[in-house]
Amino acid sequence: MALLKALVVDDASFVRDLVKRAIRQRFPVIELAEAPNGKRAQSLMSRTRFDLVLCDWEMPEMSGLELLQWMRQEEAYREVPFIMITSRGDKDHVVEAVRQGVSEYLGKPFSPEGLSKKIIKVMGRRLKDAMARSGKSMEGPADAFKESASLLTQTRKPVETAPPSQVQASPLVSPDAAPGPAAAKAPPSQTLRSLASVRFADSTLRSVVKDINLTEVRVIAKRDQAFPGILDPAVVDIEIADGEMARLNGYVHQLQAVDKRQDTDFVSVVIRFVDEDPAKLEDLSRFIARFRAGR
């Protein structure tokens, strides 16, 4: 029996499903509702009182920050925990969220474990008591929790990643190089069309954009890095203008060796985008236009 109510707000249905699946697995006492943007969330919150809100920052119609500002002005929601889940992890955004009254800040992409810790932190005794009344343990079997969203994330054993300095120093393949032995030996001095940083819950993949459209991006990366699993959530950081970055949410659709050798030096990774925010689609369109013009 559900004893608490939580609202999951994100314009990407994939992310909403990931959050809901993790919560259902770990906290069965929480009843879940969802909304694709702040405006719809506001409407739901006006009719039903929620005990927890987990919300994206960048969404159409009403952003997460605007929803947070509205909540903190409403008597019923002034003290309700609000977890901001977003790919915007820079200091300025964190400070602004804290200033507006955010309870916790969780960066995308996130692990089920990381999400669980944030929920336990903001819900405290209330969650513990609800779990106890339902006969559930707050600790929970570690293996069961690690499987929370395994269908979406293909959870794998932790991989030791190289220090950032080593990863950044690794030479990258030119996106113009054709698959095969020649591509594996492509010198780093070749002109690179576009660099992309692909972030996962436990690692960051330095790569080069090989192809991109409004649905997905294919990048080429050195094999000596930590690679994700199929369906792992990802955030793709691409530069759309000098110093201006776009952060696009997605998931791993495909992993493939660049050539037909087991000792291939490079791996192709396809990330399917899940964002439905018009502003992000506009940023992506700008990058695609610049990318194709450079061919």
Side-chain angles (χ1 to χ4, degrees):
M1 177 182 178
L3 303 175
L4 300 170
K5 293 183 178 181
L7 179 61
V8 180
V9 191
D10 199 296
D11 64 301
S13 59
F14 176 87
V15 177
R16 296 198 303 271
D17 289 344
L18 179 62
V19 173
K20 290 188 299 179
R21 193 176 289 267
I23 294 176
R24 286 192 184 112
Q25 179 71 28
R26 184 65 178 87
F27 308 114
V29 298
I30 298 180
E31 178 183 333
L32 296 165
E34 62 180 295
N37 56 60
K39 185 66 70 175
R40 175 59 178 162
Q42 191 179 53
S43 176
L44 291 174
M45 294 167 71
S46 298
R47 300 196 300 269
T48 302
R49 190 181 188 284
F50 293 94
D51 305 290
L52 171 67
V53 176
L54 306 102
C55 185
D56 186 24
W57 184 306
E58 297 173 298
M59 299 178 294
E61 296 193 45
M62 177 185 280
S63 71
L65 188 66
E66 291 172 327
L67 180 63
L68 174 60
Q69 292 169 334
W70 173 80
M71 282 180 58
R72 294 311 183 226
Q73 294 173 3
E74 296 292 312
E75 184 64 32
Y77 286 103
R78 194 162 294 164
E79 303 297 330
V80 170
F82 186 107
I83 299 177
M84 187 77 81
I85 305 177
T86 176
S87 55
R88 287 186 170 274
D90 51 281
K91 182 179 178 181
D92 290 344
H93 283 85
V94 174
V95 170
E96 179 62 17
V98 171
R99 192 174 69 85
Q100 296 298 334
V102 76
S103 305
E104 272 296 330
Y105 201 98
L106 181 63
K108 290 180 182 176
F110 55 88
S111 66
E113 292 89 344
L115 176 62
S116 174
K117 289 178 181 178
K118 296 293 185 182
I119 293 174
I120 291 173
K121 184 175 180 180
V122 301
M123 296 298 289
R125 172 63 65 177
R126 192 173 183 192
L127 177 59
K128 184 176 181 179
D129 291 345
M131 292 286 282
R133 287 198 301 273
S134 66
K136 305 293 183 181
S137 170
M138 276 293 288
E139 299 302 325
D143 291 340
F145 178 58
K146 288 180 180 178
E147 292 174 359
S148 66
S150 60
L151 182 62
L152 293 175
T153 62
Q154 192 65 39
T155 304
R156 61 201 182 285
K157 293 181 179 180
V159 179
E160 290 187 5
T161 59
S165 58
Q166 294 182 19
V167 173
Q168 293 174 3
S170 299
L172 296 172
V173 64
S174 166
D176 295 317
K185 298 178 181 178
S189 59
Q190 288 186 0
T191 301
L192 301 181
R193 184 176 294 122
S194 295
L195 295 178
S197 176
V198 187
R199 290 184 277 130
F200 304 98
D202 302 314
S203 62
T204 297
L205 195 66
R206 298 273 299 173
S207 59
V208 175
V209 176
K210 180 65 175 177
D211 195 16
I212 188 170
N213 56 46
L214 289 174
T215 303
E216 64 186 27
V217 60
R218 181 159 71 94
V219 301
I220 306 295
K222 283 279 287 183
R223 184 184 176 183
D224 60 1
Q225 303 179 70
F227 278 83
I230 297 297
L231 297 181
D232 269 12
V235 173
V236 182
D237 296 326
I238 54 177
E239 187 173 1
I240 57 176
D242 292 339
E244 185 179 353
M245 300 293 294
R247 298 172 177 84
L248 303 163
N249 297 296
Y251 64 92
V252 179
H253 176 70
Q254 183 186 79
L255 291 171
Q256 184 177 16
V258 168
D259 54 41
K260 296 181 179 180
R261 297 182 297 111
Q262 186 177 9
D263 61 346
T264 181
D265 292 324
F266 300 97
V267 175
S268 168
V269 184
V270 175
I271 305 294
R272 283 275 174 90
F273 298 128
V274 299
D275 288 307
E276 299 175 15
D277 185 346
K280 286 196 173 186
L281 292 177
E282 182 179 348
D283 286 343
L284 180 57
S285 297
R286 289 166 56 194
F287 179 84
I288 292 172
R290 193 186 72 175
F291 176 83
R292 291 179 177 170
R295 285 183 168 180

